[in-house]
Amino acid sequence: MRVTLSADAKRYIRLFAEETDINPLDCLIEGDRVVLLIPAGEMADAIGPDGHTVDRVEEKLGREIELVENADTPAAFVASALAPAAVRGVTISEQGDRIAYAEVVEADRGIAIGSDGRRIETARKLAQRHYDIDDIKLT
């Protein structure tokens, strides 16, 4: 699926790549934070030792950075987008709309939802952009 990026999103991707040598696949700008989609297998390098790389980029951008790791399948992508919540499994239903049902450990429901619903909304936007998933529901 082709994702169209704004000029600001392209700028944040470029700045992140310059600081980390990792090229994010997507960028969402949501108020005071920037969400970057990191290629699978590169999350540890993107975060850096003790989170110092993210801290350095946040300071340079003047915004909070959230990283989401890409995945090969829609189900794995949804689980990754809800991290650090513990997701037991994801089922994709294609009965009309395409809906991902994520089974989240009860103690982690708040983490999956995030402050003011930010994490699940970000997961929904990314899942729509990359896998044509219309909604994510927690079970």
Side-chain angles (χ1 to χ4, degrees):
M1 169 170 262
R2 185 169 168 82
V3 174
T4 303
L5 297 171
S6 69
D8 282 341
K10 288 176 186 177
R11 184 170 57 88
Y12 290 135
I13 285 173
R14 186 178 62 253
L15 289 171
F16 190 85
E18 287 171 0
E19 288 292 318
T20 65
D21 290 327
I22 294 171
N23 292 307
L25 305 170
D26 196 2
C27 176
L28 296 177
I29 302 168
E30 299 186 328
D32 61 343
R33 71 188 179 124
V34 175
V35 180
L36 297 166
L37 182 62
I38 302 301
E42 296 187 21
M43 185 63 92
D45 290 336
I47 294 169
D50 297 321
H52 292 304
T53 304
V54 170
D55 292 343
R56 188 175 68 242
V57 174
E58 284 180 336
E59 187 175 310
K60 197 166 214 176
L61 297 180
R63 290 178 177 248
E64 177 186 344
I65 301 276
E66 182 178 323
L67 304 178
V68 174
E69 188 169 19
N70 196 21
D72 293 336
T73 66
F77 186 86
V78 169
S80 177
L82 294 173
V87 178
R88 289 188 176 141
V90 176
T91 303
I92 309 290
S93 171
E94 299 195 33
Q95 312 267 340
D97 288 343
R98 195 162 189 220
I99 299 175
Y101 293 93
E103 184 182 348
V104 177
V105 173
E106 186 63 34
D108 282 2
R109 283 182 69 79
I111 295 169
I113 294 168
S115 177
D116 295 323
R118 288 179 7 165
R119 178 165 286 114
I120 195 162
E121 283 306 313
T122 297
R124 286 176 175 138
K125 288 176 188 174
L126 288 171
Q128 173 64 46
R129 288 166 70 112
H130 293 275
Y131 286 100
D132 288 325
I133 294 173
D134 298 304
D135 197 5
I136 298 173
K137 306 255 186 215
L138 302 182
T139 61

